[in-house]
Amino acid sequence: MSYVDGFVAAVPTANRQAFIEHARQAAMVFKEYGALKVVECWGDDVPEGEVTSFPMAVQRGPDETVVFSWLVWPSREVRNQAMPRLMEDARLSPEVHPMPFDGQRLIYGGFEMVVNE
């Protein structure tokens, strides 16, 4: 079954278009290395929580929007083979392709897909 990398970040709301352009460029590179699908979602209805929430998790500021993203890979093995090459690809380096958000507050993880209806 497929493997998914998931991400949550806080992006300055003023950087929406820069984020979209950044995501489109990065998606092309991820697909070259085997990703099947790249999905980037701009927060529209992301409530503050009292105990936990997306905004709390990424320490969202008042001028930021939460984004929720995921990459679908054919397998964990394909993803694991791609990651070292992706990290070395100059097209994704911060000097060439700066992230329009604070990467230190990016939350990410790999997930085994168990239901895909």
Side-chain angles (χ1 to χ4, degrees):
M1 192 165 286
S2 299
Y3 195 76
V4 176
D5 281 324
F7 308 88
V8 181
V11 178
T13 303
N15 288 357
R16 179 183 168 125
Q17 193 56 44
F19 173 80
I20 292 168
E21 291 169 16
H22 177 274
R24 283 189 174 133
Q25 292 172 359
M28 289 188 305
V29 178
F30 280 111
K31 286 184 168 187
E32 283 181 28
Y33 287 98
L36 300 173
K37 187 172 193 123
V38 178
V39 179
E40 301 281 357
C41 304
W42 190 260
D44 180 66
D45 184 15
V46 186
E48 287 284 347
E50 292 184 25
V51 177
T52 188
S53 67
F54 283 125
M56 292 169 69
V58 296
Q59 300 173 356
R60 185 193 72 190
D63 61 340
E64 295 178 318
T65 299
V66 173
V67 297
F68 178 54
S69 312
W70 65 93
L71 289 86
V72 179
W73 299 93
S75 65
R76 183 174 182 182
E77 293 73 28
V78 170
R79 181 268 224 158
N80 287 350
Q81 290 172 2
M83 278 302 160
R85 297 185 332 214
L86 283 161
M87 295 300 120
E88 294 176 4
D89 193 305
R91 294 172 295 173
L92 297 180
S93 76
E95 294 80 26
V96 175
H97 197 63
M99 293 190 298
F101 59 92
D102 180 1
Q104 293 182 336
R105 291 184 287 143
L106 173 74
I107 297 171
Y108 62 92
F111 300 84
E112 177 185 355
M113 195 178 292
V114 295
V115 176
N116 185 17
E117 299 289 326

